[in-house]
Structure formats: structure tokens, C-alpha cells
């Protein structure tokens, strides 16, 4: 399928991905416009559990780079905004055909994410990032110099208590996981600094 053709490469701490659109933006308005466009393209479908169920994860990646005109400091960072599709119990959602296949792919990638979080929490020597496209893409954001913030959405309905409990348990594990300390990615062009200050 199309998913199998996606290639993810990690070179010198930077991640690239085939088959994606890269758009240069200069202000927050342009970023919001892209987010709205991505939201319209996202696949949704009705299941027995949800009348508008997300049938895929959504990853919106923002690469930010700036240069301080006075110091010559060059700073670069990456922000991943991720909306994960919820796990789905097929016995409850009663998804069939394509909906069932989508649910299986979603659940598999969420299990892979849970395995990565568990490995990080246990300080294991091998972290199974490559077990799914999702965790492979987020490899540089789930360890090292990264910072992760996660929001968990649960339903107040009693009939979804099992799903809510699973979500809370996963959130608790994530909360207890130490993945590293965020650091500034800054470089200073000393030649520019010296010229600007007439040295």
C-alpha cells in the first residue's frame, strides 16, 4: 500500500520523509491555514463507537529556524503536533472491511508507541522505534534532547470506562518516563559577530 512506500531517514539528528509536502511559511496565519487544510484532508468515518472516528493519525511538523541579527546566533528547532487516532476494540466498534483494516493499523502503531515508551521508562539498551512508521518518524522527538507534552482525552460516559482506564494508564506511564532534557540548538557565527562589532 501507499504507507509501505513511505521512506523515513535520520541523518545527523535530522529527519526526512518521502511523499510529504514541505511548505515555507513566514507567520502564524500561514501556519493556521496549513493546519486547517490538513484537517480537511484527514480521513474520518462512522463506527458503532463514534459517528466521526479518525481513521488515521495526524502529524503536523514545523521546522523553525532563526538568526539573531546582533549576535549571529543561529537557532533551529522542530515542533511536532500530533493527533493520535484512538485505539479501537473491534469487538465493540464492529468495524468491517476497510474500517476494520484501518483500526488494525491504528492499534498496531499505538502498541508500538507504548512499547517505545515502556523501553524508555525502563532504560532499555534497545528502543524499538522502527516497529512502526509513527515511532520511526518521531524517533528524534521521543528521546535525547527532546521535550514531550501529551494530552489525553477520555469520555465521561460509563459505557467507555474500559477505554478511559486504558488511556489513563498509558498517560500515567508516559508521565513517569524520563526521556531527556530539552536543549537549545544554537550556533554562533563568530565571524559575523566580530564584523558587526568592528573587531
Amino acid at each position: 500500500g501507499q504507507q509501505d512506500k513511505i521512506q523515513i531517514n535520520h541523518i545527523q539528528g535530522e529527519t526526512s520523509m518521502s511523499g510529504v509536502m514541505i511548505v515555507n511559511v513566514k507567520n502564524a496565519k500561514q501556519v493556521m491555514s496549513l493546519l486547517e487544510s490538513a484537517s480537511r484532508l484527514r480521513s474520518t468515518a462512522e463506527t458503532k463507537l463514534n459517528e466521526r472516528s479518525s481513521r488515521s493519525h495526524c502529524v503536523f511538523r514545523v521546522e523553525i529556524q532563526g538568526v539573531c541579527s546582533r549576535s549571529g546566533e543561529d537557532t533551529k528547532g522542530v515542533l511536532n503536533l500530533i493527533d493520535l487516532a484512538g485505539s479501537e476494540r473491534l469487538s465493540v466498534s464492529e468495524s468491517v472491511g476497510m474500517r476494520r483494516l484501518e483500526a488494525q493499523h491504528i492499534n498496531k502503531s499505538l502498541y508500538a508507541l507504548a512499547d517505545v515508551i515502556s523501553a524508555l521508562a525502563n532504560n532499555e539498551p534497545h528502543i524499538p522505534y522502527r516497529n512502526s512508521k509513527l515511532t520511526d518518524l518521531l524517533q528524534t522527538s521521543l528521546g535525547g534532547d527532546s521535550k514531550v507534552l501529551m494530552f489525553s482525552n477520555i469520555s465521561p460516559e460509563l459505557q467507555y470506562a474500559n477505554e478511559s482506564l486504558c488511556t489513563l494508564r498509558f498517560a500515567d506511564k508516559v508521565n513517569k518516563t524520563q526521556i531527556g532534557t530539552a536543549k537549545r540548538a544554537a550556533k554562533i557565527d563568530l565571524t559575523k559577530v566580530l564584523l558587526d562589532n568592528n573587531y
Side-chain angles (χ1 to χ4, degrees), residues 47-49 88-95 159-160 163:
T47 68
K48 191 170 182 180
L49 280 174
E88 188 172 313
R89 287 191 297 163
L90 295 173
S91 60
V92 178
S93 68
E94 298 182 3
S95 297
Q159 60 182 322
Y160 302 125
E163 284 78 9

Side-chain angles (χ1 to χ4, degrees), residues 10-31:
H10 305 284
I11 301 174
Q12 295 182 344
E14 296 193 6
T15 301
S16 63
M17 185 176 179
S18 65
V20 298
M21 180 185 295
I22 299 175
V23 180
N24 291 323
V25 293
K26 296 182 179 180
N27 52 55
K29 184 177 180 180
Q30 292 177 340
V31 173

Side-chain angles (χ1 to χ4, degrees), residues 54 62 94 100 119 141 146 153 165 189:
S54 297
V62 183
E94 298 182 3
R100 184 181 184 89
S141 298
S146 305
N153 297 316
L165 185 58
D189 186 344

